[in-house]
Amino acid sequence: MVGIADIAKKAGVSMSTVSNVLNNRKNVGQRTREKVLKIAEELSYEHKTQNAEQRRKTIIVNFSDFDTLFYLDILHGINDYASKRDYHLLVCTANDLIHYANNDSICGVIVIDSHTDDSTIISIANKHIPVITLDRELSHQMIKSILVSNYEGERQLMERLVEKGYEKFAFLKGHDTTDSKERYRAFRDVLKENDIPFSRNDLYEGDWHEQGGAQAARLIMLQERMPQVLVCANDMMAIGAIRKFQDNGIRIPDDIAVCGFDDIIISRYLGLTTVNVPDYERGFLAGQALINIIDGIGDYETSHIGARVKWRSSTDSKR
């Protein structure tokens, strides 16, 4: 059975453009309209009813780390905007993304899953399904990226830590993602600019979860001389490290300062110095950008969301 995706592929346009043409909307140029109608006729496509279009008003949100709290704020923001525009959400993991994206009911995808390969995302975009990525930047005419200003946020944090007089730093990375790379790059740049030495022995590999932070804390406690501050690539690992340190009688920030990135809700209660990312707004903007593209009024230019430091008791306010 011929579907909208088949017409879009042959015409070299998006599925939303085909839908707009078939439903006689005015936001499509005459040449494109004639091309789509001609291909639809050649393929013997039967445009059934408005109900068929309504069934297509579903977007996929792709993420896997259900234990990572900031995803819930993003999902909340996406859902609020999508609901306002009468769209439905389908949440799926990396393993199921291709399966669901092949369904003719899907009209767009939002990706925030580091486990999803670039090739998978590009293969979906190649089917003329618009994609919004929140965790990486990919060069493709059907992919728009909305990224956190990771470098600038981490740089603000590091510059102030240096001003406070910290001289011995450790860094806890997450998985090898754009977020982790940019945060670590800012960390190293500030140290280099201030002639502060950094040893690879003070670089720890984490997993974005509390257990990764706890493991890093265990390794740090084995050192003869601990760093003055542990800079973590996200809050969940910072929280894991703080809890492990405290379980072993190590005082925060007197014995070691700890800071994170994201500003999830629990960080505020634990007094964690971190970099605030407005995740609800990030999700809301992602939903808005995708649906605007579907409606033919959006663009694919990369956007950046600002991040700013929240100073709390896990770093020494007296320095």
Side-chain angles (χ1 to χ4, degrees):
M1 182 181 295
V2 175
I4 289 177
D6 301 301
I7 300 171
K9 184 176 181 180
K10 188 167 183 179
V13 298
S14 69
M15 291 169 63
S16 58
T17 298
V18 175
S19 176
N20 289 336
V21 170
L22 296 177
N23 287 289
N24 200 31
R25 295 200 181 102
K26 297 179 180 180
N27 58 348
V28 182
Q30 187 60 30
R31 181 178 296 180
T32 300
R33 183 181 301 277
E34 291 173 357
K35 181 180 181 181
V36 168
L37 291 173
K38 181 180 179 182
I39 291 172
E41 183 178 357
E42 290 173 355
L43 296 177
S44 301
Y45 173 75
E46 181 182 354
H47 183 51
K48 295 177 181 177
T49 60
Q50 178 69 14
N51 288 334
E53 184 198 8
Q54 290 299 320
R55 287 195 298 270
R56 285 196 59 255
K57 296 187 73 170
T58 301
I59 59 179
I60 290 176
V61 180
N62 166 226
F63 74 95
S64 295
D65 290 331
F66 293 92
D67 293 332
T68 304
L69 298 178
F70 82 89
Y71 285 123
L72 300 181
D73 287 334
I74 295 175
L75 189 60
H76 187 187
I78 296 171
N79 185 63
D80 279 0
Y81 188 82
S83 296
K84 185 170 70 171
R85 297 290 298 274
D86 295 321
Y87 277 77
H88 307 288
L89 297 189
L90 172 63
V91 176
C92 73
T93 63
N95 293 335
D96 296 322
L97 179 57
I98 283 292
H99 169 72
Y100 287 114
N102 284 331
N103 191 318
D104 195 42
S105 68
I106 301 302
C107 51
V109 177
I110 298 175
V111 177
I112 43 175
D113 190 345
S114 62
H115 299 95
T116 301
D117 294 332
D118 291 353
S119 58
T120 298
I121 298 171
I122 290 170
S123 70
I124 292 169
N126 284 340
K127 297 174 183 176
H128 297 280
I129 299 174
V131 179
I132 304 291
T133 58
L134 299 182
D135 64 342
R136 74 199 79 186
E137 186 169 15
L138 296 174
S139 179
H140 192 286
Q141 62 180 357
M142 296 296 295
I143 299 176
K144 177 181 178 71
S145 299
I146 300 178
L147 305 175
V148 174
S149 297
N150 290 290
Y151 183 88
E152 290 76 9
E154 190 73 41
R155 189 177 177 89
Q156 290 174 26
L157 173 70
M158 286 298 300
E159 287 175 343
R160 185 69 182 109
L161 289 173
V162 170
E163 287 175 5
K164 284 174 173 287
Y166 289 107
E167 297 177 338
K168 183 169 173 51
F169 290 81
F171 190 88
L172 175 55
K173 297 173 62 178
H175 293 308
D176 200 20
T177 64
T178 298
D179 288 344
S180 187
K181 290 176 182 176
E182 285 296 287
R183 294 168 193 178
Y184 181 57
R185 184 167 70 87
F187 171 85
R188 291 302 308 270
D189 283 354
V190 172
L191 293 185
K192 184 176 181 180
E193 290 165 11
N194 288 276
D195 296 320
I196 296 175
F198 179 73
S199 168
R200 291 287 298 183
N201 292 330
D202 290 319
L203 176 64
Y204 298 90
E205 301 287 339
D207 59 0
W208 296 118
H209 298 286
E210 278 195 50
Q211 63 186 15
Q215 175 63 19
R218 281 192 289 267
L219 294 173
I220 288 171
M221 287 186 290
L222 294 175
Q223 296 186 26
E224 291 183 4
R225 178 173 177 260
M226 292 204 309
Q228 295 172 320
V229 56
L230 171 63
V231 179
C232 301
N234 80 336
D235 286 357
M236 293 298 290
M237 293 189 297
I239 291 166
I242 286 174
R243 286 175 170 165
K244 181 56 65 175
F245 285 138
Q246 290 176 335
D247 287 346
N248 287 270
I250 293 176
R251 299 167 301 167
I252 309 296
D254 298 332
D255 298 322
I256 184 170
V258 180
C259 47
F261 202 112
D262 287 330
D263 197 23
I264 59 176
I265 290 176
I266 192 172
S267 300
R268 301 162 201 179
Y269 295 105
L270 294 178
L272 177 65
T273 291
T274 184
V275 181
N276 173 268
V277 178
D279 285 316
Y280 172 85
E281 291 78 5
R282 187 181 174 194
F284 192 92
L285 290 172
Q288 182 182 57
L290 180 60
I291 293 172
N292 282 345
I293 288 171
I294 292 168
D295 287 348
I297 58 174
D299 64 69
Y300 286 93
E301 293 183 9
T302 297
S303 300
H304 288 86
I305 294 175
R308 59 176 185 165
V309 180
K310 294 289 185 178
W311 294 101
R312 300 191 180 107
S313 60
S314 70
T315 53
D316 190 354
S317 60
K318 296 180 181 179
R319 280 178 174 264

PDB file of all heavy atoms in Angstrom, residues 93-114:
ATOM      1  N   THR A  93      13.074   3.548  22.970  1.00  0.00           N
ATOM      2  CA  THR A  93      14.518   3.470  23.178  1.00  0.00           C
ATOM      3  C   THR A  93      15.235   3.322  21.843  1.00  0.00           C
ATOM      4  O   THR A  93      14.607   3.197  20.784  1.00  0.00           O
ATOM      5  CB  THR A  93      14.864   2.272  24.076  1.00  0.00           C
ATOM      6  OG1 THR A  93      14.469   1.068  23.394  1.00  0.00           O
ATOM      7  CG2 THR A  93      14.136   2.358  25.406  1.00  0.00           C
ATOM      8  N   ALA A  94      16.561   3.327  21.904  1.00  0.00           N
ATOM      9  CA  ALA A  94      17.372   3.218  20.695  1.00  0.00           C
ATOM     10  C   ALA A  94      17.049   1.950  19.910  1.00  0.00           C
ATOM     11  O   ALA A  94      16.989   1.961  18.675  1.00  0.00           O
ATOM     12  CB  ALA A  94      18.854   3.252  21.058  1.00  0.00           C
ATOM     13  N   ASN A  95      16.827   0.849  20.611  1.00  0.00           N
ATOM     14  CA  ASN A  95      16.585  -0.429  19.942  1.00  0.00           C
ATOM     15  C   ASN A  95      15.293  -0.448  19.138  1.00  0.00           C
ATOM     16  O   ASN A  95      15.162  -1.202  18.170  1.00  0.00           O
ATOM     17  CB  ASN A  95      16.550  -1.564  20.971  1.00  0.00           C
ATOM     18  CG  ASN A  95      17.894  -1.809  21.616  1.00  0.00           C
ATOM     19  OD1 ASN A  95      18.931  -1.496  21.022  1.00  0.00           O
ATOM     20  ND2 ASN A  95      17.899  -2.343  22.825  1.00  0.00           N
ATOM     21  N   ASP A  96      14.317   0.384  19.539  1.00  0.00           N
ATOM     22  CA  ASP A  96      13.005   0.360  18.892  1.00  0.00           C
ATOM     23  C   ASP A  96      12.782   1.512  17.928  1.00  0.00           C
ATOM     24  O   ASP A  96      11.749   1.557  17.250  1.00  0.00           O
ATOM     25  CB  ASP A  96      11.903   0.397  19.958  1.00  0.00           C
ATOM     26  CG  ASP A  96      11.918  -0.830  20.852  1.00  0.00           C
ATOM     27  OD1 ASP A  96      12.175  -1.925  20.334  1.00  0.00           O
ATOM     28  OD2 ASP A  96      11.677  -0.679  22.067  1.00  0.00           O
ATOM     29  N   LEU A  97      13.727   2.443  17.857  1.00  0.00           N
ATOM     30  CA  LEU A  97      13.498   3.664  17.093  1.00  0.00           C
ATOM     31  C   LEU A  97      13.206   3.390  15.622  1.00  0.00           C
ATOM     32  O   LEU A  97      12.233   3.912  15.065  1.00  0.00           O
ATOM     33  CB  LEU A  97      14.703   4.597  17.231  1.00  0.00           C
ATOM     34  CG  LEU A  97      14.616   5.916  16.457  1.00  0.00           C
ATOM     35  CD1 LEU A  97      13.381   6.713  16.862  1.00  0.00           C
ATOM     36  CD2 LEU A  97      15.872   6.748  16.680  1.00  0.00           C
ATOM     37  N   ILE A  98      14.027   2.603  14.966  1.00  0.00           N
ATOM     38  CA  ILE A  98      13.833   2.328  13.542  1.00  0.00           C
ATOM     39  C   ILE A  98      12.480   1.672  13.296  1.00  0.00           C
ATOM     40  O   ILE A  98      11.758   2.000  12.350  1.00  0.00           O
ATOM     41  CB  ILE A  98      14.969   1.430  12.998  1.00  0.00           C
ATOM     42  CG1 ILE A  98      16.238   2.266  12.799  1.00  0.00           C
ATOM     43  CG2 ILE A  98      14.578   0.789  11.682  1.00  0.00           C
ATOM     44  CD1 ILE A  98      16.139   3.288  11.693  1.00  0.00           C
ATOM     45  N   HIS A  99      12.122   0.734  14.159  1.00  0.00           N
ATOM     46  CA  HIS A  99      10.844   0.022  14.002  1.00  0.00           C
ATOM     47  C   HIS A  99       9.674   1.003  14.003  1.00  0.00           C
ATOM     48  O   HIS A  99       8.814   0.969  13.110  1.00  0.00           O
ATOM     49  CB  HIS A  99      10.677  -0.995  15.125  1.00  0.00           C
ATOM     50  CG  HIS A  99       9.310  -1.588  15.213  1.00  0.00           C
ATOM     51  ND1 HIS A  99       8.832  -2.499  14.286  1.00  0.00           N
ATOM     52  CD2 HIS A  99       8.301  -1.377  16.104  1.00  0.00           C
ATOM     53  CE1 HIS A  99       7.587  -2.825  14.609  1.00  0.00           C
ATOM     54  NE2 HIS A  99       7.253  -2.170  15.709  1.00  0.00           N
ATOM     55  N   TYR A 100       9.646   1.910  14.985  1.00  0.00           N
ATOM     56  CA  TYR A 100       8.516   2.827  15.080  1.00  0.00           C
ATOM     57  C   TYR A 100       8.583   3.931  14.030  1.00  0.00           C
ATOM     58  O   TYR A 100       7.548   4.404  13.557  1.00  0.00           O
ATOM     59  CB  TYR A 100       8.451   3.427  16.477  1.00  0.00           C
ATOM     60  CG  TYR A 100       7.968   2.453  17.519  1.00  0.00           C
ATOM     61  CD1 TYR A 100       8.805   2.022  18.549  1.00  0.00           C
ATOM     62  CD2 TYR A 100       6.674   1.940  17.470  1.00  0.00           C
ATOM     63  CE1 TYR A 100       8.360   1.114  19.503  1.00  0.00           C
ATOM     64  CE2 TYR A 100       6.227   1.032  18.409  1.00  0.00           C
ATOM     65  CZ  TYR A 100       7.072   0.624  19.426  1.00  0.00           C
ATOM     66  OH  TYR A 100       6.634  -0.276  20.362  1.00  0.00           O
ATOM     67  N   ALA A 101       9.787   4.349  13.663  1.00  0.00           N
ATOM     68  CA  ALA A 101       9.926   5.410  12.667  1.00  0.00           C
ATOM     69  C   ALA A 101       9.456   4.961  11.288  1.00  0.00           C
ATOM     70  O   ALA A 101       9.114   5.793  10.444  1.00  0.00           O
ATOM     71  CB  ALA A 101      11.375   5.882  12.596  1.00  0.00           C
ATOM     72  N   ASN A 102       9.422   3.651  11.053  1.00  0.00           N
ATOM     73  CA  ASN A 102       8.937   3.129   9.769  1.00  0.00           C
ATOM     74  C   ASN A 102       7.421   3.143   9.667  1.00  0.00           C
ATOM     75  O   ASN A 102       6.863   2.880   8.611  1.00  0.00           O
ATOM     76  CB  ASN A 102       9.448   1.700   9.561  1.00  0.00           C
ATOM     77  CG  ASN A 102      10.911   1.665   9.171  1.00  0.00           C
ATOM     78  OD1 ASN A 102      11.415   2.607   8.553  1.00  0.00           O
ATOM     79  ND2 ASN A 102      11.601   0.602   9.528  1.00  0.00           N
ATOM     80  N   ASN A 103       6.755   3.462  10.767  1.00  0.00           N
ATOM     81  CA  ASN A 103       5.299   3.506  10.787  1.00  0.00           C
ATOM     82  C   ASN A 103       4.816   4.781  10.108  1.00  0.00           C
ATOM     83  O   ASN A 103       5.311   5.869  10.384  1.00  0.00           O
ATOM     84  CB  ASN A 103       4.821   3.452  12.249  1.00  0.00           C
ATOM     85  CG  ASN A 103       3.337   3.237  12.366  1.00  0.00           C
ATOM     86  OD1 ASN A 103       2.552   3.825  11.640  1.00  0.00           O
ATOM     87  ND2 ASN A 103       2.958   2.375  13.306  1.00  0.00           N
ATOM     88  N   ASP A 104       3.839   4.672   9.245  1.00  0.00           N
ATOM     89  CA  ASP A 104       3.349   5.826   8.489  1.00  0.00           C
ATOM     90  C   ASP A 104       2.643   6.839   9.384  1.00  0.00           C
ATOM     91  O   ASP A 104       2.330   7.942   8.956  1.00  0.00           O
ATOM     92  CB  ASP A 104       2.395   5.357   7.382  1.00  0.00           C
ATOM     93  CG  ASP A 104       2.127   6.431   6.345  1.00  0.00           C
ATOM     94  OD1 ASP A 104       3.088   7.128   5.963  1.00  0.00           O
ATOM     95  OD2 ASP A 104       0.960   6.591   5.948  1.00  0.00           O
ATOM     96  N   SER A 105       2.391   6.482  10.643  1.00  0.00           N
ATOM     97  CA  SER A 105       1.724   7.412  11.557  1.00  0.00           C
ATOM     98  C   SER A 105       2.688   8.428  12.162  1.00  0.00           C
ATOM     99  O   SER A 105       2.270   9.379  12.802  1.00  0.00           O
ATOM    100  CB  SER A 105       1.032   6.635  12.683  1.00  0.00           C
ATOM    101  OG  SER A 105       1.990   6.022  13.525  1.00  0.00           O
ATOM    102  N   ILE A 106       3.996   8.231  11.984  1.00  0.00           N
ATOM    103  CA  ILE A 106       5.010   9.100  12.593  1.00  0.00           C
ATOM    104  C   ILE A 106       5.331  10.271  11.679  1.00  0.00           C
ATOM    105  O   ILE A 106       5.606  10.089  10.496  1.00  0.00           O
ATOM    106  CB  ILE A 106       6.292   8.307  12.904  1.00  0.00           C
ATOM    107  CG1 ILE A 106       5.978   7.158  13.865  1.00  0.00           C
ATOM    108  CG2 ILE A 106       7.364   9.226  13.482  1.00  0.00           C
ATOM    109  CD1 ILE A 106       5.355   7.589  15.180  1.00  0.00           C
ATOM    110  N   CYS A 107       5.293  11.490  12.230  1.00  0.00           N
ATOM    111  CA  CYS A 107       5.591  12.647  11.391  1.00  0.00           C
ATOM    112  C   CYS A 107       6.810  13.433  11.876  1.00  0.00           C
ATOM    113  O   CYS A 107       7.149  14.469  11.301  1.00  0.00           O
ATOM    114  CB  CYS A 107       4.381  13.564  11.303  1.00  0.00           C
ATOM    115  SG  CYS A 107       3.668  14.024  12.874  1.00  0.00           S
ATOM    116  N   GLY A 108       7.502  12.966  12.924  1.00  0.00           N
ATOM    117  CA  GLY A 108       8.710  13.632  13.378  1.00  0.00           C
ATOM    118  C   GLY A 108       9.318  12.903  14.557  1.00  0.00           C
ATOM    119  O   GLY A 108       8.656  12.100  15.217  1.00  0.00           O
ATOM    120  N   VAL A 109      10.612  13.175  14.818  1.00  0.00           N
ATOM    121  CA  VAL A 109      11.359  12.484  15.872  1.00  0.00           C
ATOM    122  C   VAL A 109      12.197  13.485  16.656  1.00  0.00           C
ATOM    123  O   VAL A 109      12.805  14.387  16.063  1.00  0.00           O
ATOM    124  CB  VAL A 109      12.279  11.392  15.271  1.00  0.00           C
ATOM    125  CG1 VAL A 109      13.108  10.728  16.364  1.00  0.00           C
ATOM    126  CG2 VAL A 109      11.470  10.348  14.508  1.00  0.00           C
ATOM    127  N   ILE A 110      12.225  13.331  17.984  1.00  0.00           N
ATOM    128  CA  ILE A 110      13.124  14.097  18.850  1.00  0.00           C
ATOM    129  C   ILE A 110      14.066  13.110  19.532  1.00  0.00           C
ATOM    130  O   ILE A 110      13.613  12.162  20.176  1.00  0.00           O
ATOM    131  CB  ILE A 110      12.348  14.901  19.910  1.00  0.00           C
ATOM    132  CG1 ILE A 110      11.435  15.923  19.233  1.00  0.00           C
ATOM    133  CG2 ILE A 110      13.316  15.602  20.869  1.00  0.00           C
ATOM    134  CD1 ILE A 110      10.530  16.680  20.186  1.00  0.00           C
ATOM    135  N   VAL A 111      15.373  13.295  19.373  1.00  0.00           N
ATOM    136  CA  VAL A 111      16.375  12.355  19.886  1.00  0.00           C
ATOM    137  C   VAL A 111      17.149  12.984  21.038  1.00  0.00           C
ATOM    138  O   VAL A 111      17.737  14.057  20.891  1.00  0.00           O
ATOM    139  CB  VAL A 111      17.363  11.927  18.777  1.00  0.00           C
ATOM    140  CG1 VAL A 111      18.434  11.011  19.341  1.00  0.00           C
ATOM    141  CG2 VAL A 111      16.625  11.238  17.635  1.00  0.00           C
ATOM    142  N   ILE A 112      17.137  12.294  22.200  1.00  0.00           N
ATOM    143  CA  ILE A 112      17.990  12.683  23.337  1.00  0.00           C
ATOM    144  C   ILE A 112      18.623  11.423  23.925  1.00  0.00           C
ATOM    145  O   ILE A 112      18.733  11.278  25.130  1.00  0.00           O
ATOM    146  CB  ILE A 112      17.198  13.438  24.422  1.00  0.00           C
ATOM    147  CG1 ILE A 112      15.837  12.791  24.687  1.00  0.00           C
ATOM    148  CG2 ILE A 112      17.045  14.881  24.098  1.00  0.00           C
ATOM    149  CD1 ILE A 112      15.082  13.435  25.820  1.00  0.00           C
ATOM    150  N   ASP A 113      19.026  10.524  23.067  1.00  0.00           N
ATOM    151  CA  ASP A 113      19.507   9.208  23.493  1.00  0.00           C
ATOM    152  C   ASP A 113      20.917   8.977  22.974  1.00  0.00           C
ATOM    153  O   ASP A 113      21.123   8.776  21.778  1.00  0.00           O
ATOM    154  CB  ASP A 113      18.562   8.126  22.960  1.00  0.00           C
ATOM    155  CG  ASP A 113      18.843   6.759  23.552  1.00  0.00           C
ATOM    156  OD1 ASP A 113      19.919   6.582  24.150  1.00  0.00           O
ATOM    157  OD2 ASP A 113      17.993   5.870  23.418  1.00  0.00           O
ATOM    158  N   SER A 114      21.890   9.007  23.868  1.00  0.00           N
ATOM    159  CA  SER A 114      23.286   8.816  23.466  1.00  0.00           C
ATOM    160  C   SER A 114      23.538   7.413  22.911  1.00  0.00           C
ATOM    161  O   SER A 114      24.554   7.179  22.252  1.00  0.00           O
ATOM    162  CB  SER A 114      24.225   9.084  24.646  1.00  0.00           C
ATOM    163  OG  SER A 114      23.971   8.174  25.709  1.00  0.00           O
TER     164      SER A 114
END
